[in-house]
Amino acid sequence: MGSVFGNKLKISVFGESHGAAIGIVIDGLPSGESIDLDEVYRQMQRRAPGGDKTATPRKEADIPEVLSGFLCGVTTGAPLCAVIRNTNTRSGDYGNILSAPRPAHSDYAAFVRYGGHNDIRGGGHFSGRLTANIVFAGAVCRQILKRRGIDIAAHIYSIGGVCDEPFEPTGISGELIERLNGEKFALVDPDREGAMREAVDKARANGDSIGGVVECTVQGMKAGIGEPMFGGVENVIAAAVFGVPAVKGIEFGSGFSGSSMLGSQNNDEFYFDENGEVRTRTNNHGGALGGITSGMPIIFRAAVKPTPSISIEQKTVDLENKKNCTLSIKGRHDPCIVPRAVPVIESAAAIAVMNLL
Amino acid sequence: MGSVFGNKLKISVFGESHGAAIGIVIDGLPSGESIDLDEVYRQMQRRAPGGDKTATPRKEADIPEVLSGFLCGVTTGAPLCAVIRNTNTRSGDYGNILSAPRPAHSDYAAFVRYGGHNDIRGGGHFSGRLTANIVFAGAVCRQILKRRGIDIAAHIYSIGGVCDEPFEPTGISGELIERLNGEKFALVDPDREGAMREAVDKARANGDSIGGVVECTVQGMKAGIGEPMFGGVENVIAAAVFGVPAVKGIEFGSGFSGSSMLGSQNNDEFYFDENGEVRTRTNNHGGALGGITSGMPIIFRAAVKPTPSISIEQKTVDLENKKNCTLSIKGRHDPCIVPRAVPVIESAAAIAVMNLL
Amino acid sequence: MGSVFGNKLKISVFGESHGAAIGIVIDGLPSGESIDLDEVYRQMQRRAPGGDKTATPRKEADIPEVLSGFLCGVTTGAPLCAVIRNTNTRSGDYGNILSAPRPAHSDYAAFVRYGGHNDIRGGGHFSGRLTANIVFAGAVCRQILKRRGIDIAAHIYSIGGVCDEPFEPTGISGELIERLNGEKFALVDPDREGAMREAVDKARANGDSIGGVVECTVQGMKAGIGEPMFGGVENVIAAAVFGVPAVKGIEFGSGFSGSSMLGSQNNDEFYFDENGEVRTRTNNHGGALGGITSGMPIIFRAAVKPTPSISIEQKTVDLENKKNCTLSIKGRHDPCIVPRAVPVIESAAAIAVMNLL
Amino acid sequence: MGSVFGNKLKISVFGESHGAAIGIVIDGLPSGESIDLDEVYRQMQRRAPGGDKTATPRKEADIPEVLSGFLCGVTTGAPLCAVIRNTNTRSGDYGNILSAPRPAHSDYAAFVRYGGHNDIRGGGHFSGRLTANIVFAGAVCRQILKRRGIDIAAHIYSIGGVCDEPFEPTGISGELIERLNGEKFALVDPDREGAMREAVDKARANGDSIGGVVECTVQGMKAGIGEPMFGGVENVIAAAVFGVPAVKGIEFGSGFSGSSMLGSQNNDEFYFDENGEVRTRTNNHGGALGGITSGMPIIFRAAVKPTPSISIEQKTVDLENKKNCTLSIKGRHDPCIVPRAVPVIESAAAIAVMNLL
């Protein structure tokens, strides 16, 4: 498995959806950092299902127990391990997975990879539930980063075709960051919520699901951070963000749309601001040039595919009997994980940033 | 610096555009592999400037000298080092870079990162010329992969807004692979070349530049390869491909467009093919599920930003005199590196795949 | 912290002696491997204090709970996490540690490293108790290795100056391996136990402690495993074994004594054995040549320093009042950890070997 | 291959004894560091054969060419590559190696590992000549470390049984460091040279060889550096030093002799020195406690086995004809590499220290 990430800050993620517990070890945290666990739990609640009408109905307590590396509210410098017990393990929800791999799920690929020995209940180690660990670690890191002047925020850039107002690429306000960091359905323009929920509700009504895009920014990183060619901002953030299940694309700054621009349109001109700091007027480069921070906000978007689990009947294969068959995934499913992906992607970014500093 | 990549196969890239030489060490090649160096040079020629009217006029011999790890046409298993001498070092071409960082180049970020000690002539270690090393290593790897049934091909998916016919996601023919692997302006539909060159020529005429998208496929990988969560197909390929300068985005399968789809549209149904192999009817997942290969072709697209160097006057800063100024980059520049990026991205993919196997 | 080890098999160790729990995540285990947890516990008991009159009187249950990666007695291929709760946390035993660092303990170095934020109770993350995690992981790995024909055994080579009969360098019998693997006071020649215990008892009676040497062998590894120059047998085993607290030296084959030999004495001559296998008559090279296995047993010895905790009064510093002071460590201490170090060093070797294969 | 080492500072070593060249890429050097290449060459001369009557008669120019990462006498921050051409390639010296592996050489293990494809001429990638790269990198690092107050020195601790005066464990003088850093036959007590050379000459006269021990110290490292459990001082230095061919053991501080001591003898008492710094009266811990520097000098000894190449007839196997045979290695061989190992081991330590800081 490759559930270990990082170099300066190493995380090791473990657990299976319906096993005893999930958890994470974070190795390399600086010592002496106060961590407000209540704030960590608040971030985890943003990801948790059940608290929002868009989300999956499965309820989880998701209260992590910190086993090590944390004493009297402060990091000790030793590895910090947090464990979240699994309490809601109705594995009956996911009946015929073994013989019939669910389309767009990892079932088949994992079956081959692990010779059928992997825990398939609820997706096992591949379950979206594992992202609770990422949010835990990310929330810890974000408190440390905030103390160093670095803020991370994300929003639902789009669901289906319905778009939020994009982030101002040259920087967003501290108020907006704070507001977004507290929301379960994070939007720059809250008036777009209705249209988005409509798209989600329609998918749900049809037993279908729907994807979207999350936009994320990291503000406050000084210029000169990151290592070309393979230790750059984009490499490290992409490697972390692709660890979030369902992410199938990432772009920095103007990204794919920049690739159809002219240089004169896409190049960001430099200027000295009123404080004598070098800045760019626009931020098509997304905060990184040659892999190194420019001092402008890092900005990226991640494509989140529609949730694979749908109750609409789909064609698949019966591995046992070696013949084609059909499958309808029973139970209630989260038709759109994009809102809950927001804190996960912020967290993956935070973990990546800790490895860049 | 972070110019080292990989785990099973480690590459270490060195060199500066106008220094003595550039080169690469490849550590971890299997022993006993015949390598046709002529074919390697042919791949390098696809990247080399000067051989195509779209490309930069700078001429380079770019004949690598293999210093180690290779005996009687066969890999020894020891690290293979190749060095390419720099012969064309007219550093006068790049006059006022030091004081005035070029917009969208790494100049400013690198200046801060290296305290002004980095070699700025021609972009130094950040020069696109360094990608010759990637193509060298990629071409070596591709011969080894081919012997294991794995083929890699890419094409110009678009330049500006002009698009080629996309790859058939469920697989392309061996003939197409072979043809593309031999071309400097690689297109599925060669008839689109005219319209693309027109867009490039127009940018050149205006002293401007233009970006594009490269689409790449890896065919022949068996199901069950890759490690969730952070050692997966997407993580490893993205980490390698973002090592290619000018790449600002990557998407797998349906990618960003998939994120506005419904699950019922984006999910790929499984079936047994005529040989009893499990396959999917469509390939929106791009060959990887849960980070693990599904047995379908890996398919991804990389966004290549327009070349930063343009002769149109741009605003920037005079770092020495701490004031705003303007800059016009003299000399002739490649207005579109997308065709030359094709073999580089194929090569980054090849290096990534060697690390997945 | 650097409590993560390995590449192919990654372990991440966490926990503090008097915190909530200690534990380990093992990432990269092959799937489908039956693991006999009772045998794992038996190995852990060999390390556990309290079960032997030479050992520290502190009692620990040390029953690990496996949280993930293990289903129906078989590895799933996902990370395997085991947690051991701390129940016996009489931190009063270690009174004045904070102000007065214990000589030869990590107290002072850790105080500086972690700015005084590290958990000092019972040694915190530096406690010998953390080696229970290593033995857990090692015992899991050894079952997997045994299935591949690889056996690991160690014995008390010496305590103080009292020596056991050394291992026959060219190989020991399966019976001896099996016997040693079951013992808490592992000796080739059990008749030496009396003299060794006498040395330990004398140290205990004086409130002192005593060190020793552990000799370990890995049998059954084929020739041709390991990577020069830095991925070799010696590099990887040494990096793992120095993770065991109190180890201050390691030597392979004839080691330090070989360095005072002539080449004609130290060189191991090759011959074809009765099965046509290439072997060496002697094994001064300790199973590795150029970092690569020769097919002969790997054999190494690790120097274990005397337990730092002694009740004899020692001079140290009062960090708070910035003056010299004296310290007598109260409570009962294990005067000799060498017997308990045997399974720990076997385990470190097992983890290293998993990373070499 | 595993010829890549390090994390913060990564080196990638390449080359074969009788190939075109050997060399090294050093990735991660700080930018803006002046490097005196003449001093680097002086260090390389200490390792070079031919300049000392104890050494091998083979002459090498060994003038490295720096290809990158170095401009106007200063590091650029980009990877620094140095290449040393092979000019003296009388492969005839090593006649029947292929069929008859030389005892105690890597020939047989490498043959199996690389399926017979490795370059066997002169030992190929396993040749001691490759250590010239280590000395190059080490000499560069040592200039950088010196600027940070860190000095490294080593001496011939013993050859055969003949010993030098050991280092004073609590610290040696700057004068001694400087003197040793300039010598090819580095001894604390130069009067011992005669007896040592006598032992070497006797071995040479008999067509035999002789081993020894190198003692090395790193002075000036502050307390609090290093990461338990696997990123500690001992782990990292050992992993680097075992990259030096012929090293078969390493011990820190009192090492193996400490393991036969009592705690009351081996523990190092703390005290405040006249400057208010915490120090230890003795240095049996060798500068590291719990893997972390204590502020005392790091001190270790490495066991160097006798050179395997001897002209005395030895038994070995004829791999081609599958029968036992004899071998006498013709040509003149260095009967004792210990003096030349001194700068190599200092260099390995320097590279390790760069990875600890």
Side-chain angles (χ1 to χ4, degrees):
Chain A
M1 283 260 171
S3 298
V4 174
F5 179 81
N7 192 348
K8 294 177 188 172
L9 185 86
K10 293 189 183 82
I11 59 167
S12 185
V13 177
F14 62 87
E16 282 131 331
S17 179
H18 290 57
I22 63 169
I24 189 165
V25 183
I26 315 174
D27 190 298
L29 288 172
S31 61
E33 296 282 341
S34 296
I35 302 297
D36 176 354
L37 284 185
D38 287 339
E39 169 58 18
V40 171
Y41 302 155
R42 263 193 297 279
Q43 290 303 321
M44 295 180 73
Q45 281 307 111
R46 294 177 66 206
R47 187 217 66 89
D52 181 279
K53 54 185 173 301
T54 308
T56 174
R58 177 176 163 184
K59 279 235 173 64
E60 311 170 23
D62 275 0
I63 305 282
E65 183 190 11
V66 177
L67 296 181
S68 63
F70 193 66
L71 195 64
C72 307
V74 166
T75 57
T76 65
L80 193 158
C81 176
V83 167
I84 307 168
R85 293 278 160 180
N86 292 326
T87 52
N88 187 346
T89 59
R90 290 171 296 149
S91 62
D93 286 14
Y94 300 81
N96 55 347
I97 299 168
L98 179 64
S99 52
R102 295 167 298 173
H105 267 286
S106 62
D107 299 347
Y108 173 68
F111 174 84
V112 178
R113 171 72 183 80
Y114 300 106
H117 296 289
N118 57 309
D119 183 350
I120 56 169
R121 298 168 301 161
H125 189 63
F126 296 83
S127 167
R129 178 164 167 70
L130 271 285
T131 60
N133 297 316
I134 304 294
V135 177
F136 177 90
V140 168
C141 293
R142 289 167 74 182
Q143 293 188 29
I144 294 170
L145 291 170
K146 195 175 193 60
R147 214 164 282 144
R148 286 150 178 76
I150 297 171
D151 283 298
I152 299 175
H155 71 117
I156 305 168
Y157 182 84
S158 69
I159 284 180
V162 189
C163 290
D164 188 18
E165 192 183 314
F167 278 157
E168 168 54 44
T170 55
I172 61 172
S173 71
E175 292 77 44
L176 179 53
I177 291 171
E178 201 173 338
R179 176 169 71 74
L180 291 173
N181 281 346
E183 291 195 359
K184 287 205 79 156
F185 202 98
L187 289 171
V188 174
D189 177 2
D191 292 346
R192 317 276 177 111
E193 182 169 344
M196 284 188 183
R197 288 206 184 269
E198 211 170 300
V200 175
D201 288 343
K202 193 175 155 192
R204 179 192 286 110
N206 294 333
D208 212 333
S209 66
I210 193 162
V213 173
V214 171
E215 185 176 53
C216 183
T217 188
V218 182
Q219 290 194 179
M221 287 184 76
K222 290 193 180 130
I225 296 165
E227 304 288 327
M229 315 173 47
F230 300 105
V233 168
E234 294 102 331
N235 314 67
V236 176
I237 290 181
V241 169
F242 276 118
V244 180
V247 170
K248 297 300 279 190
I250 190 166
E251 59 177 3
F252 292 81
S254 60
F256 278 91
S257 70
S259 71
S260 59
M261 289 187 196
L262 296 169
S264 57
Q265 297 167 319
N266 193 61
N267 286 1
D268 300 304
E269 298 188 325
F270 289 106
Y271 72 102
F272 281 106
D273 74 3
E274 57 283 8
N275 304 317
E277 298 285 334
V278 173
R279 293 179 58 80
T280 59
R281 297 271 174 205
T282 49
N283 189 10
N284 290 319
H285 69 287
L289 290 168
I292 302 174
T293 54
S294 66
M296 297 298 290
I298 295 172
I299 190 157
F300 70 88
R301 281 169 299 283
V304 179
K305 73 176 182 185
T307 323
S309 290
I310 58 176
S311 38
I312 295 174
E313 191 179 274
Q314 300 175 87
K315 290 179 184 156
T316 183
V317 288
D318 178 339
L319 290 171
E320 215 172 333
N321 300 304
K322 297 252 173 200
K323 60 175 189 180
N324 298 328
C325 68
T326 59
L327 172 75
S328 172
I329 302 175
K330 299 281 180 264
R332 291 191 293 170
H333 312 288
D334 189 346
C336 181
I337 59 159
V338 180
R340 294 166 55 204
V342 166
V344 182
I345 286 169
E346 290 167 346
S347 295
I351 293 162
V353 168
M354 291 291 288
N355 277 288
L356 285 164
L357 291 181
Chain B
M1 284 259 170
S3 299
V4 174
F5 179 81
N7 193 348
K8 293 176 188 172
L9 185 88
K10 293 190 182 82
I11 59 167
S12 186
V13 177
F14 61 89
E16 282 129 331
S17 179
H18 290 56
I22 64 169
I24 190 166
V25 183
I26 315 173
D27 190 297
L29 288 173
S31 61
E33 295 282 341
S34 297
I35 302 296
D36 176 354
L37 285 185
D38 288 338
E39 169 58 18
V40 172
Y41 302 155
R42 264 193 297 279
Q43 289 303 321
M44 296 180 72
Q45 280 308 110
R46 294 177 64 206
R47 187 216 67 90
D52 181 278
K53 56 185 173 299
T54 308
T56 175
R58 176 176 165 183
K59 277 238 172 63
E60 310 170 23
D62 276 0
I63 304 282
E65 182 190 10
V66 176
L67 297 181
S68 62
F70 193 66
L71 195 64
C72 308
V74 166
T75 57
T76 64
L80 192 158
C81 177
V83 167
I84 308 168
R85 294 276 160 182
N86 291 326
T87 51
N88 186 346
T89 60
R90 290 170 296 150
S91 63
D93 285 13
Y94 300 81
N96 55 347
I97 298 168
L98 179 65
S99 53
R102 296 167 297 174
H105 267 286
S106 63
D107 299 347
Y108 172 68
F111 174 84
V112 178
R113 172 71 183 81
Y114 300 106
H117 295 288
N118 56 308
D119 183 350
I120 56 169
R121 299 169 300 163
H125 188 62
F126 295 84
S127 166
R129 177 162 167 69
L130 270 285
T131 59
N133 297 315
I134 304 294
V135 177
F136 177 88
V140 169
C141 292
R142 289 167 76 181
Q143 293 188 28
I144 295 170
L145 291 171
K146 196 174 192 61
R147 214 163 282 144
R148 286 151 179 75
I150 297 171
D151 283 298
I152 299 176
H155 70 118
I156 306 168
Y157 182 84
S158 68
I159 284 180
V162 188
C163 290
D164 187 19
E165 193 183 313
F167 279 157
E168 168 53 44
T170 54
I172 61 173
S173 70
E175 292 77 44
L176 179 54
I177 291 171
E178 202 174 339
R179 176 169 70 76
L180 292 172
N181 281 347
E183 292 196 358
K184 285 204 82 156
F185 203 98
L187 290 172
V188 174
D189 177 4
D191 292 346
R192 318 276 177 111
E193 183 169 344
M196 283 187 184
R197 289 206 183 268
E198 211 172 299
V200 175
D201 288 343
K202 193 174 155 193
R204 179 192 287 110
N206 294 333
D208 211 335
S209 66
I210 193 163
V213 173
V214 171
E215 185 175 53
C216 182
T217 189
V218 181
Q219 290 194 178
M221 286 183 77
K222 291 195 181 127
I225 296 165
E227 304 288 325
M229 315 174 46
F230 300 104
V233 168
E234 293 103 332
N235 314 68
V236 176
I237 290 181
V241 169
F242 276 118
V244 181
V247 170
K248 297 300 279 189
I250 190 167
E251 59 177 3
F252 292 81
S254 60
F256 279 91
S257 71
S259 71
S260 60
M261 287 187 198
L262 297 170
S264 57
Q265 297 167 318
N266 193 60
N267 286 0
D268 300 304
E269 297 187 326
F270 290 106
Y271 72 102
F272 281 105
D273 74 2
E274 58 282 9
N275 305 316
E277 299 284 333
V278 173
R279 293 179 58 81
T280 59
R281 297 272 174 204
T282 50
N283 189 8
N284 290 318
H285 69 287
L289 290 168
I292 301 174
T293 53
S294 66
M296 295 298 291
I298 295 173
I299 191 158
F300 69 89
R301 281 168 298 284
V304 178
K305 72 176 183 184
T307 323
S309 290
I310 58 177
S311 37
I312 295 174
E313 191 179 275
Q314 300 175 88
K315 291 180 182 154
T316 183
V317 289
D318 178 338
L319 290 172
E320 214 172 334
N321 301 304
K322 297 252 173 200
K323 60 176 188 180
N324 298 328
C325 68
T326 59
L327 173 74
S328 173
I329 302 175
K330 300 281 180 265
R332 290 191 293 171
H333 313 288
D334 188 346
C336 182
I337 58 160
V338 181
R340 295 167 54 205
V342 166
V344 182
I345 287 169
E346 289 167 345
S347 294
I351 293 163
V353 168
M354 290 291 287
N355 277 289
L356 285 164
L357 290 181
Chain C
M1 282 261 173
S3 299
V4 175
F5 180 81
N7 194 348
K8 294 176 187 172
L9 185 88
K10 293 189 181 83
I11 60 167
S12 185
V13 177
F14 62 88
E16 281 131 330
S17 177
H18 290 57
I22 64 169
I24 190 165
V25 184
I26 315 173
D27 190 297
L29 288 172
S31 61
E33 295 283 341
S34 296
I35 302 296
D36 175 354
L37 285 184
D38 287 339
E39 169 58 18
V40 172
Y41 302 154
R42 262 192 298 277
Q43 290 303 321
M44 296 181 72
Q45 280 308 111
R46 294 177 65 206
R47 186 216 68 90
D52 182 280
K53 56 187 175 295
T54 308
T56 175
R58 177 175 164 184
K59 277 236 172 67
E60 309 170 24
D62 275 359
I63 305 282
E65 182 190 10
V66 176
L67 296 181
S68 63
F70 193 66
L71 196 63
C72 306
V74 166
T75 57
T76 65
L80 192 158
C81 176
V83 167
I84 307 168
R85 295 278 161 179
N86 291 326
T87 52
N88 187 346
T89 60
R90 290 171 297 150
S91 63
D93 285 14
Y94 300 81
N96 55 346
I97 299 169
L98 180 65
S99 52
R102 296 167 297 173
H105 267 285
S106 62
D107 299 347
Y108 172 68
F111 174 84
V112 177
R113 172 70 184 82
Y114 300 105
H117 295 289
N118 56 309
D119 184 349
I120 56 169
R121 297 169 301 162
H125 188 63
F126 295 84
S127 166
R129 176 160 168 70
L130 271 285
T131 59
N133 296 315
I134 304 295
V135 176
F136 177 89
V140 168
C141 293
R142 289 166 76 181
Q143 293 188 27
I144 295 170
L145 290 171
K146 195 174 194 61
R147 216 164 281 145
R148 287 151 177 75
I150 298 171
D151 283 297
I152 299 176
H155 71 118
I156 305 167
Y157 183 84
S158 68
I159 284 181
V162 188
C163 292
D164 187 18
E165 192 184 315
F167 278 157
E168 168 54 45
T170 55
I172 61 172
S173 71
E175 292 76 45
L176 179 54
I177 291 172
E178 201 172 340
R179 175 169 71 74
L180 291 173
N181 282 346
E183 292 196 358
K184 287 204 80 155
F185 202 98
L187 290 171
V188 174
D189 176 4
D191 291 347
R192 319 277 176 109
E193 183 169 344
M196 285 189 182
R197 290 204 183 270
E198 209 171 302
V200 175
D201 288 342
K202 192 174 157 193
R204 178 191 287 111
N206 295 334
D208 212 333
S209 65
I210 193 162
V213 174
V214 171
E215 184 175 52
C216 183
T217 188
V218 182
Q219 290 195 179
M221 288 184 77
K222 291 192 180 129
I225 297 166
E227 304 287 326
M229 317 174 43
F230 301 105
V233 168
E234 292 103 332
N235 313 66
V236 176
I237 290 180
V241 168
F242 277 118
V244 180
V247 169
K248 297 300 279 188
I250 189 167
E251 59 177 2
F252 291 81
S254 61
F256 279 91
S257 70
S259 70
S260 59
M261 289 188 197
L262 297 170
S264 57
Q265 297 168 317
N266 193 59
N267 287 0
D268 300 303
E269 298 188 324
F270 290 106
Y271 71 103
F272 281 106
D273 74 3
E274 57 282 8
N275 305 314
E277 299 285 333
V278 173
R279 293 178 59 80
T280 58
R281 297 272 174 202
T282 48
N283 188 8
N284 290 319
H285 68 288
L289 290 168
I292 301 175
T293 53
S294 67
M296 295 298 289
I298 295 173
I299 191 157
F300 69 89
R301 281 168 298 284
V304 179
K305 73 178 183 184
T307 323
S309 290
I310 58 176
S311 37
I312 295 174
E313 191 178 275
Q314 299 174 87
K315 290 179 184 157
T316 183
V317 288
D318 178 339
L319 291 172
E320 215 172 333
N321 301 302
K322 298 253 172 197
K323 58 177 191 181
N324 298 328
C325 69
T326 59
L327 172 76
S328 172
I329 302 174
K330 299 281 178 267
R332 291 191 293 169
H333 313 287
D334 188 345
C336 182
I337 59 161
V338 180
R340 295 167 54 206
V342 165
V344 182
I345 286 167
E346 289 167 345
S347 294
I351 293 163
V353 167
M354 291 292 287
N355 277 288
L356 285 165
L357 291 182
Chain D
M1 282 260 173
S3 300
V4 175
F5 179 81
N7 193 349
K8 294 175 186 173
L9 185 87
K10 293 189 181 82
I11 60 167
S12 185
V13 178
F14 61 88
E16 280 129 332
S17 178
H18 289 57
I22 64 169
I24 190 167
V25 184
I26 315 173
D27 190 297
L29 288 173
S31 61
E33 296 283 341
S34 297
I35 302 297
D36 176 354
L37 285 185
D38 287 340
E39 169 59 18
V40 172
Y41 302 154
R42 263 193 296 278
Q43 290 303 321
M44 294 179 74
Q45 280 307 111
R46 294 177 65 207
R47 186 215 69 88
D52 182 277
K53 57 187 174 295
T54 307
T56 174
R58 177 175 164 184
K59 276 237 173 63
E60 310 171 24
D62 275 359
I63 305 283
E65 182 189 11
V66 177
L67 296 181
S68 64
F70 193 66
L71 196 62
C72 308
V74 165
T75 57
T76 66
L80 193 158
C81 177
V83 167
I84 307 167
R85 294 276 161 180
N86 292 325
T87 51
N88 185 345
T89 58
R90 290 171 295 150
S91 62
D93 285 13
Y94 300 83
N96 55 345
I97 298 169
L98 180 66
S99 52
R102 295 168 297 174
H105 267 285
S106 62
D107 299 347
Y108 172 68
F111 174 84
V112 177
R113 172 71 183 81
Y114 300 106
H117 296 288
N118 57 308
D119 184 350
I120 56 169
R121 298 170 300 163
H125 188 62
F126 296 83
S127 166
R129 176 160 168 72
L130 271 285
T131 60
N133 296 315
I134 303 296
V135 177
F136 176 89
V140 168
C141 293
R142 289 167 76 180
Q143 293 188 29
I144 295 170
L145 291 171
K146 194 174 193 63
R147 215 164 280 145
R148 287 151 178 76
I150 298 171
D151 283 298
I152 299 176
H155 70 118
I156 305 167
Y157 183 84
S158 67
I159 283 181
V162 187
C163 290
D164 187 20
E165 192 183 316
F167 278 156
E168 168 54 44
T170 55
I172 60 172
S173 71
E175 291 78 44
L176 178 53
I177 292 172
E178 202 173 338
R179 176 168 71 74
L180 291 173
N181 281 347
E183 292 195 358
K184 286 203 82 155
F185 202 99
L187 290 171
V188 173
D189 176 4
D191 292 347
R192 318 276 176 110
E193 184 170 342
M196 284 187 183
R197 290 205 182 269
E198 210 170 302
V200 175
D201 289 342
K202 192 174 156 195
R204 178 191 287 110
N206 295 332
D208 211 334
S209 66
I210 193 163
V213 173
V214 171
E215 185 175 53
C216 182
T217 188
V218 182
Q219 289 195 180
M221 287 185 77
K222 289 193 180 129
I225 296 166
E227 303 288 327
M229 315 175 42
F230 301 105
V233 168
E234 292 102 332
N235 313 69
V236 176
I237 290 180
V241 169
F242 277 117
V244 180
V247 170
K248 297 300 279 188
I250 189 167
E251 59 177 3
F252 292 81
S254 61
F256 278 91
S257 70
S259 71
S260 60
M261 289 187 197
L262 297 170
S264 56
Q265 297 167 319
N266 193 61
N267 287 0
D268 300 303
E269 297 188 324
F270 290 106
Y271 72 102
F272 282 107
D273 74 5
E274 57 281 8
N275 305 315
E277 299 284 334
V278 173
R279 293 179 58 80
T280 58
R281 297 275 172 201
T282 48
N283 189 10
N284 290 319
H285 68 288
L289 290 168
I292 302 174
T293 54
S294 67
M296 295 298 290
I298 296 172
I299 192 158
F300 69 89
R301 281 168 299 283
V304 179
K305 72 177 183 184
T307 323
S309 290
I310 57 176
S311 37
I312 295 175
E313 190 178 274
Q314 299 174 86
K315 291 180 184 154
T316 183
V317 287
D318 178 339
L319 290 172
E320 215 172 332
N321 301 303
K322 297 254 172 199
K323 60 176 190 179
N324 297 329
C325 68
T326 59
L327 172 76
S328 172
I329 303 175
K330 299 278 179 268
R332 289 193 294 171
H333 313 287
D334 189 346
C336 182
I337 60 161
V338 181
R340 295 166 56 206
V342 166
V344 182
I345 285 169
E346 289 167 347
S347 295
I351 293 163
V353 168
M354 291 291 287
N355 277 289
L356 285 165
L357 291 180

